[in-house]
Amino acid sequence: MAGAAAEQRRLATVVESWLGRPVLIVGDAMLDEWRFADSDRLCREAPAPVLTLRRRISAAGGAANTAVNVAALGGRAVLVAPVGADVAGDELHDCLDRASVWDRTVNQPGRPTPVKRRMLAGNQILLREDSGDPEDALDHDGVSRLLTALSCATEELRAAAGGEAPTLVVCDYGLGALPAPVRAWLVENRQRYATVALDAHDLADWRGLAPTVVTPSFAEATRLLARAGGTTRPTGGTELHLAHPDADPADGPSEMTVGAAPGAVRVDDTDAEVIRADRPGPVGEPTPGEGRVALTGDGLSVTGTGVTVNTRAGEGVDRAVLAKSRLAELRAHTGADVVAVTLDTEGAVVGGADGEPRRSHSTPVPASHAVGAGDAYLAAMTLALAADAPLPTAAQLAQLAATITVSDTGTCVCRRDDLLATLEQPTDTAGHPALVSGDELDTIVAGYREAGRSVVFTNGCFDVLHRGHVRYLEQARALGDLLIVAVNSDGSVRRLKGPDRPVNPVEDRGALLAALACVDHVVVFEEDSPTALIEAVRPDVYVKGGDYPPELVPEAPLVRRLGGQVRTLGYVPDRSTSAIIERIRSHSQDPSPRLDDRKPDPSLRTRTQAS
C-alpha cells in the first residue's frame, strides 16, 4: 500500500509540474453536437422511430477538443484553426471561451465549420450527420492568414512563458485545415517548439516534422506501414507480412474503429488453412475514400484498402502484439521519438528510443462514451512529455486521462482535478494553507505566477457569512484559477461599520471563509483599504460586489495599472449582513415572532416541495 501511495504521489507531482505549460494546438477544429431524444413509437411513413427532442448540447471537437483538454488539465492552450463564419463557428467560439482556451482561430467566410451531429435515444446513437467537406480547401488568403496566426500565437505563447519555447500539437484529420503550405511552414519552423505531438490520419504527409510523439490508431499505423512498403521480417519467431498495393491508396479522413471482419481470410496464397472469424465484435467504420478496416475475431489478420497484415504466430496474437512488433519501424517512418499506437477500448502500445514496448489497458465502454477520449490521451501525453516526465509515466497518465473521461455519453474532457482525485491527491492549492499571512502570500503567489495560474482577488468584512457571500465568492472563483480573499481586521471593521461591529471576530470570519471550497487563500489586513495587498498580489482579476460599474470601484485605477481587470458582481437580493443583524435584533425584541412574518425563501420552498 505504501508503494502504491508513493507511486500516486509521483504521478500527481507530474500533473502539478505541467501547470501553465504553454501549448499551441493547430489543425482541424470542429463542433460536436449531441441531441438527446425520447422515442416510444414508429412513424407511419416508414419503419423508423419518431423522436422527441429533449436536450441539445454542443462541445468542441477535433483539434478544438484537444485544446479544451490541455486547458482542463492545467496547460495554457492556444488554438489556431480555420473556423467558418457561421452559427456552428459561433458555438465553437463559445465552447473555447468557456474552457479558457486562447482562441486564435481564423475566420473563413464561405467555408463551413465542420460539425458532427449525433442523435440519441435511450443513450443509443441512432445516427450521425457530418457536415463540412474536406474538398472545401482554404484559399490563398485563408492560408496566408492562418500562417500569420501561427507565427503570432507562437510568439505570444513564448512571451507569456518568459521566453520558454512552447509545445506544439498538430491535429490533422483530413478536413483541409492543414494544406501543404501550412505543413511546410510547420516543418521549417520545427525548431521554434520544444515538444511536438502529431495526431494525423495520414502520417505520410508529415515527413520531416521530426515529432516528439505520434499517436496513430492501429488502422492509421497499418496504413503508414503499407505505404512505406513493409516486407517479411522475423520478430522473435513470429513471421509478420504486410502486403501493400503498387500505388498509394486513396487519401481521406479516417475515424476508424477496428472490429470483427465479416468473413474469413486466408493466411497466404499457399496455405489452405482458413482463419476462423466467427467471434462477435464491432464492425469497422467505412470512411470517405477508403474501404473497411477489419480485424478477424481471433486476432490474426487485419485488412483494409489494399492493406493486409497476416501472422502465423498462432492463437492469442492480437493487435497489441502486431503493434509491438512494428514500433521500431513506425518510429523510423515517422521520425518520432515516441510512438503510441492506440487500440480503442483495448488501451495502447507505446514505444520509445529504448526499444522497450509498454502496454496500457482501458475499460471497455459503449462507443458513445468514448468520443474524444483520444483527445484526452493526446493532451495528457503531450503535457507529461513537455514536463520531461519519463515515458512510462507519460504513458500511464495519458491512459488514465483517457479512461476516466468515458463514464458518460458526450465528448470526453479530462480535468486536472478529476485526474488528481483519481490519484487520491488533494486538488486545492498544492499543499499551501488556506489561512496565510501577508508574507506567506507573497511567496505563494510567486509560485502560482511561475506556474502560469491566474489569480482572482477580492476583499470585504464578511462579518456574518450568508448565502449572498457564498454565491458571490463562487462567481468570483469561476473567473480564474484560484481565489484569494482579503478580510478586514476587527479594528478595520469598527472604523468602517461602527463600534458595534464586527459581530464575529476575525479568527472566526477567516476560518469560515477558508472552509469554503471556492476559496483558496484567506489573508487578514489591518488597513481600511486593500491597496497594499493588491500591489503585492497583482491580481489578474479584482472583484467587488455591487450593482455599480467597475469604473466606480476605488481600486480600479490601481488594478488596471498593474495589468489586471476589474469585475463587479451583483448581490443576492435581500441577503446582506446588515439585514440579517436587523432581523436578529427585531426578533430579540419580540420573544414570540410569528413564522409568517418572515419572508419565505422561494428556493427553499421549491426544495421542500420537491422532497
Side-chain angles (χ1 to χ4, degrees):
M1 293 297 291
E7 174 67 7
Q8 288 177 327
R9 286 194 297 271
R10 186 180 65 81
L11 293 174
T13 299
V14 175
V15 177
E16 294 288 356
S17 72
W18 71 44
L19 276 173
R21 181 74 52 177
V23 182
L24 172 62
I25 301 95
V26 59
D28 292 300
M30 63 191 74
L31 183 73
D32 278 350
E33 183 180 301
W34 299 81
R35 298 189 176 197
F36 298 88
D38 293 337
S39 178
D40 56 10
R41 60 193 174 94
L42 296 178
C43 71
R44 289 178 294 179
E45 296 86 357
V50 177
L51 303 176
T52 303
L53 184 63
R54 298 301 184 191
R55 184 165 58 102
R56 174 187 175 278
I57 60 175
S58 296
N65 189 47
T66 299
V68 168
N69 273 275
V70 168
L73 287 167
R76 180 175 294 171
V78 176
L79 175 66
V80 173
V83 173
D86 49 20
V87 173
D90 292 341
E91 289 194 56
L92 182 55
H93 292 308
D94 290 341
C95 293
L96 297 173
D97 289 342
R98 289 195 300 269
S100 298
V101 173
W102 292 11
D103 185 352
R104 303 297 182 264
T105 55
V106 178
N107 195 315
Q108 297 288 336
R111 186 178 187 272
T113 303
V115 181
K116 291 184 178 180
R117 298 180 179 90
R118 298 170 176 86
M119 179 67 80
L120 300 90
N123 214 32
Q124 174 66 46
I125 296 179
L126 300 182
L127 61 90
R128 194 182 88 189
E129 175 195 9
D130 290 5
S131 61
D133 192 338
E135 301 302 321
D136 293 332
L138 297 177
D139 58 23
H140 178 76
D141 179 63
V143 171
S144 177
R145 289 190 292 119
L146 192 64
L147 292 176
T148 300
L150 269 173
S151 183
C152 291
T154 301
E155 292 309 309
E156 182 182 20
L157 270 180
R158 182 187 292 273
E164 177 185 357
T167 294
L168 174 68
V169 179
V170 179
C171 301
D172 182 8
Y173 305 131
L175 297 179
L178 296 166
V182 177
R183 296 198 301 269
W185 188 95
L186 290 169
V187 171
E188 292 169 5
N189 289 271
R190 169 64 177 85
Q191 74 282 355
R192 298 173 70 176
Y193 307 99
T195 302
V196 174
L198 173 62
D199 184 26
H201 284 339
D202 194 345
L203 291 165
D205 284 341
W206 291 94
R207 293 185 180 95
L209 182 63
T212 309
V213 57
V214 294
T215 59
S217 68
F218 182 80
E220 291 160 356
T222 299
R223 182 178 181 216
L224 175 68
L225 292 175
R227 299 183 69 175
T231 58
T232 302
R233 292 175 176 83
T235 309
T238 301
E239 296 289 333
L240 295 175
H241 177 68
L242 181 67
H244 59 91
D246 295 332
D248 284 346
D251 291 336
S254 54
E255 185 187 76
M256 300 181 184
T257 301
V258 178
V265 179
R266 292 184 182 277
V267 173
D268 56 41
D269 294 337
T270 62
D271 196 326
E273 181 185 359
V274 176
I275 300 175
R276 293 177 292 106
D278 53 358
R279 299 184 188 180
V283 177
E285 179 181 344
T287 58
E290 293 190 330
R292 187 180 303 275
V293 172
L295 173 70
T296 56
D298 53 13
L300 299 183
S301 179
V302 181
T303 63
T305 302
V307 181
T308 304
V309 181
N310 290 334
T311 178
R312 307 200 333 177
E315 287 289 333
V317 175
D318 58 14
R319 292 188 300 166
V321 172
L322 291 171
K324 286 180 181 179
S325 69
R326 310 304 285 269
L327 284 174
E329 292 173 70
L330 289 169
R331 289 185 63 246
H333 291 315
T334 60
D337 299 327
V338 176
V339 172
V341 181
T342 56
L343 305 172
D344 312 316
T345 57
E346 296 176 26
V349 173
V350 182
D354 60 4
E356 182 67 28
R358 296 162 179 87
R359 178 79 163 91
S360 61
H361 297 270
S362 183
T363 303
V365 295
S368 61
H369 290 196
V371 174
D375 302 329
Y377 184 97
L378 174 63
M381 172 68 80
T382 302
L383 285 168
L385 292 176
D388 296 324
L391 180 55
T393 300
Q396 190 173 355
L397 285 171
Q399 188 64 68
L400 185 60
T403 301
I404 65 177
T405 64
V406 296
S407 60
D408 201 359
T409 298
T411 304
C412 296
V413 175
C414 182
R415 292 171 175 81
R416 171 180 169 271
D417 286 357
D418 295 335
L419 189 55
L420 288 174
T422 303
L423 296 170
E424 298 181 357
Q425 296 297 314
T427 60
D428 48 12
T429 51
H432 296 304
L435 282 165
V436 297
S437 67
D439 292 339
E440 290 175 312
L441 187 62
D442 291 345
T443 303
I444 292 171
V445 170
Y448 289 138
R449 292 287 183 217
E450 186 175 349
R453 304 184 71 185
S454 59
V455 177
V456 182
F457 182 94
T458 191
N459 63 278
C461 299
F462 300 99
D463 192 1
V464 178
L465 198 63
H466 53 75
R467 175 185 168 195
H469 287 140
V470 174
R471 178 178 170 182
Y472 166 79
L473 293 171
E474 287 175 340
Q475 290 176 332
R477 177 61 173 80
L479 298 175
D481 294 325
L482 69 144
L483 174 62
I484 296 173
V485 178
V487 60
N488 295 75
S489 69
D490 292 347
S492 177
V493 174
R494 278 191 292 271
R495 291 191 296 272
L496 293 171
K497 302 290 186 179
D500 59 344
R501 300 281 297 276
V503 174
N504 294 303
V506 71
E507 293 81 8
D508 293 351
R509 291 183 283 129
L512 286 173
L513 288 167
L516 296 177
C518 57
V519 176
D520 294 289
H521 299 296
V522 177
V523 60
V524 177
F525 66 101
E526 297 288 343
E527 301 81 10
D528 296 341
S529 170
T531 53
L533 278 173
I534 291 174
E535 289 180 336
V537 173
R538 305 174 70 89
D540 297 281
V541 184
Y542 177 66
V543 182
K544 287 292 287 184
D547 297 324
Y548 44 83
E551 290 74 19
L552 296 181
V553 174
E555 297 82 5
L558 171 62
V559 173
R560 293 195 176 99
R561 179 169 60 82
L562 297 173
Q565 58 175 301
V566 179
R567 297 284 297 272
T568 57
L569 302 176
Y571 291 121
V572 177
D574 300 324
R575 298 293 185 276
S576 71
T577 299
S578 299
I580 292 173
I581 292 174
E582 286 303 316
R583 192 158 59 244
I584 293 172
R585 285 173 175 166
S586 65
H587 280 258
S588 65
Q589 294 169 1
D590 182 0
S592 57
R594 293 175 299 178
L595 291 176
D596 57 358
D597 286 340
R598 292 180 295 172
K599 184 177 181 180
D601 182 345
S603 65
L604 293 177
R605 183 174 65 248
T606 302
R607 288 196 296 269
T608 302
Q609 292 171 348
S611 62

